[in-house]
Amino acid sequence: MEQVTVTVLGTSDRVTVTITWAGGQTTTDETARPVALLQQLSYFPQIKERVRELAGQGHRPEAIARRLHAEGFRPARGRGNRISATAVKEILRELGCLQPPARTRSAPPPGEEPGRDEWWLEDLAAELDMPAVTLYSWIYRGWVNARKESRRPYRWILHAGPTQLAELRERRTRPPGWYTRLRWTDTEPPLPAQDGDQTASSHL
């Protein structure tokens, strides 16, 4: 090996390394270097576009940050192991689509405040990173326990402790139509009819 040349591509995290071997042959490859700023990452344009898409779908900065982490986007070195909600807010501000501050929530009737392991519907939807309308449908399917305020605006308060949260997150990952297909593809034979059942069926 006679010489190693390292060339930084602009101010990004990408560098080109060229090795000159004895005899004049060269080998060239690309690698990444540590950078301090999110904007220096070579995939920062993809991060911005994904933030724009998720914000357009109504996701809050905290939910967007969790989604970016799940999709494999990583921050600059020394910024933790995930892109923070604060960084997402900065990107949204740069894009000109920062969501307005949330409206102040009116107080519930006395004694009806969310208790331990209880959530307002919108807050639980944000925690599960899912549309509130989908979670609303889960109430009527009996997949989550809930109660409603006794006066307007009749908001939903849902119960979900650690165990229920884990179950709801698992349910959230299942594809659309999963439960319908399960019902029709269940091959477990029916239970034998009891004497009473046989008598009743004979009159049908």
Side-chain angles (χ1 to χ4, degrees), residues 10-109:
T11 60
S12 74
D13 59 340
R14 306 305 301 174
V15 297
T16 300
V17 180
T18 301
I19 301 175
T20 302
W21 304 93
Q25 185 177 0
T26 61
T27 301
T28 302
D29 201 356
E30 284 192 5
T31 186
R33 70 185 180 104
V35 292
L37 301 176
L38 194 65
Q39 290 79 358
Q40 291 178 278
L41 296 172
S42 56
Y43 49 88
F44 181 65
Q46 287 83 3
I47 292 176
K48 286 180 62 177
E49 183 58 29
R50 190 66 179 124
V51 168
R52 185 198 302 273
E53 292 175 354
L54 293 171
Q57 296 171 12
H59 294 286
R60 299 178 181 179
E62 293 77 9
I64 294 175
R66 291 195 295 271
R67 181 68 66 86
L68 292 176
H69 180 72
E71 294 178 1
F73 291 106
R74 297 294 178 263
R77 298 290 177 88
R79 302 287 179 176
N81 64 348
R82 65 173 60 198
I83 298 173
S84 67
T86 300
V88 170
K89 291 178 182 177
E90 292 177 357
I91 294 174
L92 290 171
R93 188 176 294 108
E94 179 183 340
L95 293 171
C97 55
L98 184 64
Q99 296 176 342
R103 294 179 299 174
T104 302
R105 180 179 286 138
S106 59

Side-chain angles (χ1 to χ4, degrees), residues 50-174:
R50 190 66 179 124
V51 168
R52 185 198 302 273
E53 292 175 354
L54 293 171
Q57 296 171 12
H59 294 286
R60 299 178 181 179
E62 293 77 9
I64 294 175
R66 291 195 295 271
R67 181 68 66 86
L68 292 176
H69 180 72
E71 294 178 1
F73 291 106
R74 297 294 178 263
R77 298 290 177 88
R79 302 287 179 176
N81 64 348
R82 65 173 60 198
I83 298 173
S84 67
T86 300
V88 170
K89 291 178 182 177
E90 292 177 357
I91 294 174
L92 290 171
R93 188 176 294 108
E94 179 183 340
L95 293 171
C97 55
L98 184 64
Q99 296 176 342
R103 294 179 299 174
T104 302
R105 180 179 286 138
S106 59
E112 297 185 19
E113 301 85 358
R116 181 178 179 181
D117 296 332
E118 288 190 326
W119 308 69
W120 294 108
L121 187 146
E122 295 81 3
D123 292 344
L124 183 56
E127 175 68 22
L128 297 172
D129 192 17
M130 63 183 292
V133 65
T134 302
L135 187 57
Y136 180 80
S137 71
W138 287 10
I139 296 174
Y140 285 94
R141 294 190 180 200
W143 292 348
V144 56
N145 294 325
R147 59 185 174 90
K148 189 183 288 188
E149 291 178 300
S150 61
R151 69 186 185 195
R152 292 184 182 277
Y154 302 114
R155 295 167 295 187
W156 283 102
I157 300 172
L158 288 64
H159 178 84
T163 301
Q164 290 80 16
L165 280 175
E167 293 173 351
L168 292 172
R169 287 195 176 97
E170 181 182 359
R171 188 181 297 276
R172 176 79 173 97
T173 62
R174 292 169 182 163

